[in-house]
Amino acid sequence: MTSVVHKYSEKCQNHNFKDYCNTSEHSQAFVAPHLNGPVVGAELHKESYSKEKIKTINVALVLCLNMEIDPPDVQKIPPYSRVEAWVDPADAGYRVVEMIGKNLQSQYERWQPKGCYRQCLDPNLDEVKKICVNMRRNARSDRILFHYNGHGVPRPTENGEIWVFNRTFTKYIPLSLFDLQRWLGGPSVYVIDCQNAGRVLKLYDYFCKRRQGETANAVGEGSNVGGQNPEGAQHEQNTF
């Protein structure tokens, strides 16, 4: 086998080919900067974790299911999923909400068998507030896990509100994430299981930054007046 060398061929200076090529007819695809330069990937988000171990003992399970009535803004088109915490409401009878709460708690108990669990089944606004405030008082500086299931209430609003019920179980009552953060404090973990949960994520971050700004202003004003922080300001500073 014989090799053919072109008359006007010379060693290529644009890439690392060992052979010779015709530089006058060199393809521009091989001299593009993004092919010759180093490959750099997208910068990944790095989580910052505290070196101190934080316990997660207190768990609040808030289930807003209202199994008999569908939410007004959710149209269920069959076939659709019906199972909640491995419980089919069609086969559970009249105590379906209690069975779902029990199954959900048993799943968390596999992860934390010594945890303190509080179930809040189809609650009103005052019941949610009472559980959150009491859990933060008992947990002190430990972490609280707040699990919310909103498959029986409307979708979260654009203003950052999830839904619970009134005392007579006849109306939907909005619960602001801003108030929920204030009741639970920090550190906390939120599990939001409902329609359009992405709205909650965006507004949760917004409310966190808003509360941090308000806390920083309160601490600054307290240091200027008497040299002491206002009541609760130090607690809020360590919340988020």
Side-chain angles (χ1 to χ4, degrees):
M1 180 180 294
T2 59
S3 60
V4 179
V5 179
H6 295 281
K7 181 178 180 180
Y8 298 102
S9 296
E10 58 184 18
K11 204 165 187 178
C12 181
Q13 302 297 328
N14 295 317
H15 49 69
N16 296 327
F17 288 172
K18 295 182 179 180
D19 295 334
Y20 288 81
C21 62
N22 192 338
T23 56
S24 62
E25 299 178 355
H26 197 283
S27 174
Q28 294 298 320
F30 293 99
V31 297
H34 69 278
L35 295 178
N36 295 328
V39 178
V40 180
E43 184 177 356
L44 300 178
H45 175 70
K46 296 181 180 180
E47 293 284 351
S48 58
Y49 296 96
S50 175
K51 295 182 179 180
E52 299 180 359
K53 293 184 178 180
I54 302 177
K55 298 180 181 179
T56 306
I57 302 297
N58 296 271
V59 180
L61 305 177
V62 180
L63 307 182
C64 299
L65 297 176
N66 193 15
M67 303 304 300
E68 299 179 357
I69 302 176
D70 293 333
D73 61 344
V74 177
Q75 183 179 4
K76 296 182 179 180
I77 302 176
Y80 55 87
S81 60
R82 298 183 301 176
V83 177
E84 297 281 355
W86 307 109
V87 176
D88 189 348
D91 303 331
Y94 69 97
R95 301 188 62 182
V96 56
V97 180
E98 289 81 356
M99 293 182 62
I100 293 174
K102 183 179 180 180
N103 267 23
L104 183 61
Q105 178 175 332
S106 64
Q107 293 177 30
Y108 274 110
E109 286 175 345
R110 296 179 60 184
W111 162 67
Q112 177 55 279
K114 298 182 180 180
C116 178
Y117 296 90
R118 295 290 302 275
Q119 296 185 22
C120 201
L121 308 178
D122 289 339
N124 57 55
L125 190 62
D126 293 335
E127 292 174 348
V128 176
K129 179 180 179 180
K130 182 178 179 180
I131 284 183
C132 294
V133 173
N134 290 339
M135 277 199 163
R136 174 47 60 194
R137 184 184 299 112
N138 297 331
R140 298 183 181 180
S141 60
D142 290 337
R143 185 187 293 112
I144 295 177
L145 191 150
F146 181 85
H147 183 112
Y148 171 80
N149 186 323
H151 289 161
V153 292
R155 307 169 189 265
T157 66
E158 296 288 349
N159 297 326
E161 296 168 330
I162 56 179
W163 297 90
V164 292
F165 303 99
N166 63 347
R167 291 183 178 273
T168 57
F169 212 70
T170 56
K171 295 181 180 180
Y172 301 109
I173 304 299
L175 168 58
S176 174
L177 291 176
F178 188 82
D179 293 334
L180 186 61
Q181 291 176 356
R182 181 165 54 88
W183 298 338
L184 285 175
S188 301
V189 177
Y190 295 82
V191 179
I192 307 298
D193 183 13
C194 64
Q195 302 284 342
N196 287 40
R199 295 179 181 177
V200 177
L201 295 178
K202 296 179 181 179
L203 292 167
Y204 173 83
D205 184 61
Y206 167 76
F207 286 140
C208 281
K209 295 178 180 178
R210 175 181 167 185
R211 290 184 60 78
Q212 287 176 350
E214 293 178 355
T215 301
N217 294 335
V219 172
E221 293 176 0
S223 60
N224 294 331
V225 181
Q228 294 182 354
N229 294 338
E231 182 180 359
Q234 185 64 33
H235 172 72
E236 294 295 337
Q237 187 177 13
N238 298 329
T239 295
F240 302 103

